[in-house]
Amino acid sequence: MAADAGFAGLTVGSHPVADAIGSSDGENMDFGEYLDIVKRIVNSVDIPVSADVESGYGLDPKELIERIIESGAVGANIEDVVHREGDRVRDRQEQADYIAAARQAADGAGVDFVINGRTDAIRLGTDVYDDPLAEAVERIKLIEQAGARSVYPVRASTVEQVSALVEAVSVPVNIGVHPVDGNGAGDLAGLKRLGVRRISFGPRWQSWLTDVSAKQLEAWL
């Protein structure tokens, strides 16, 4: 449906896939099963597909990239919260090193691979960081230097936050949006004015459709 609508590429979110198969987000799926689903999506469209692999499912970067490429995907979203270790947050350099190794593996395979480096610094907030925005800025700078071709500071939702993040790097900044309500920093036009070059829905598309479907179903009771 998204391909037919004219989109030039797709990202398969881990959260919506987990919901669709009765699992839950946070690396609780079997990684092989998840990649089988990614492969089915890849085989159903003629546009590039990226896979959200959370923090890597406990795999070293080389094996992770090899398995993603085997599925036919040509991109990956890699985050800094390690779910399999009690939601431990990788420190700045550890995350950069992981992405750098993933970049090296992809380049070594000869694939024009897009790594979207995600940080949860803003989402984690002041419970973890004195200045979550400043932490996110420093992390996306390192992520870009490590070879990510886009960066994803999750929960950036104000003009101030988005502007600071866009100014910090030269690669596209990915901003999460709601399919109807957009983002606190603006709608599509507003985000483009701020310099945003990549957006994603995450699980919001499915959750919105759930609400719409529930109301419609209730009308038949």
Side-chain angles (χ1 to χ4, degrees):
M1 182 180 66
D4 289 345
F7 285 90
L10 301 174
T11 293
V12 181
S14 63
H15 194 156
V17 170
D19 288 348
I21 65 172
S23 183
S24 59
D25 199 32
E27 299 187 6
N28 292 311
M29 291 182 288
D30 176 82
F31 191 57
E33 182 181 5
Y34 172 61
L35 288 184
D36 285 343
I37 294 169
V38 171
K39 186 173 183 178
R40 288 171 59 188
I41 294 171
V42 168
N43 291 338
S44 72
V45 296
D46 293 321
I47 56 178
V49 176
S50 178
D52 174 10
V53 295
E54 306 193 59
S55 68
Y57 280 77
L59 303 174
D60 68 76
K62 186 175 186 296
E63 181 181 355
L64 177 70
I65 295 299
E66 288 174 348
R67 293 185 66 179
I68 296 169
I69 291 173
E70 286 174 2
S71 77
V74 290
N77 184 81
I78 302 175
E79 65 184 74
D80 54 9
V81 175
V82 186
H83 301 288
R84 296 194 168 202
E85 297 177 21
D87 291 337
R88 176 181 72 83
V89 184
R90 292 184 178 126
D91 66 34
R92 296 177 186 174
Q93 194 58 52
E94 181 186 8
Q95 175 70 354
D97 290 345
Y98 192 95
I99 287 177
R103 172 83 277 149
Q104 183 178 15
D107 291 348
V111 176
D112 191 18
F113 198 90
V114 175
I115 296 174
N116 186 37
R118 167 175 159 167
T119 177
D120 280 43
I122 293 174
R123 180 186 70 81
L124 294 169
T126 53
D127 289 342
V128 178
Y129 301 109
D130 292 335
D131 189 336
L133 176 59
E135 180 67 24
V137 165
E138 293 306 312
R139 283 177 176 260
I140 63 173
K141 286 180 179 178
L142 285 174
I143 289 168
E144 177 184 19
Q145 293 169 12
R149 293 188 180 174
S150 61
V151 293
Y152 185 10
V154 175
R155 298 283 179 88
S157 58
T158 68
V159 170
E160 176 192 14
Q161 290 174 339
V162 173
S163 296
L165 294 159
V166 168
E167 291 171 5
V169 293
S170 62
V171 296
V173 173
N174 188 127
I175 296 297
V177 301
H178 184 278
V180 176
D181 301 330
N183 178 280
D187 56 10
L188 177 59
L191 291 172
K192 289 174 72 174
R193 283 194 295 271
L194 293 174
V196 174
R197 289 184 279 161
R198 175 171 166 156
I199 62 169
S200 59
F201 299 117
R204 295 179 185 88
W205 186 277
Q206 281 86 342
S207 63
W208 169 67
L209 286 175
T210 298
D211 293 340
V212 171
S213 298
K215 290 178 182 178
Q216 193 64 34
L217 286 169
E218 288 169 2
W220 286 91
L221 289 176

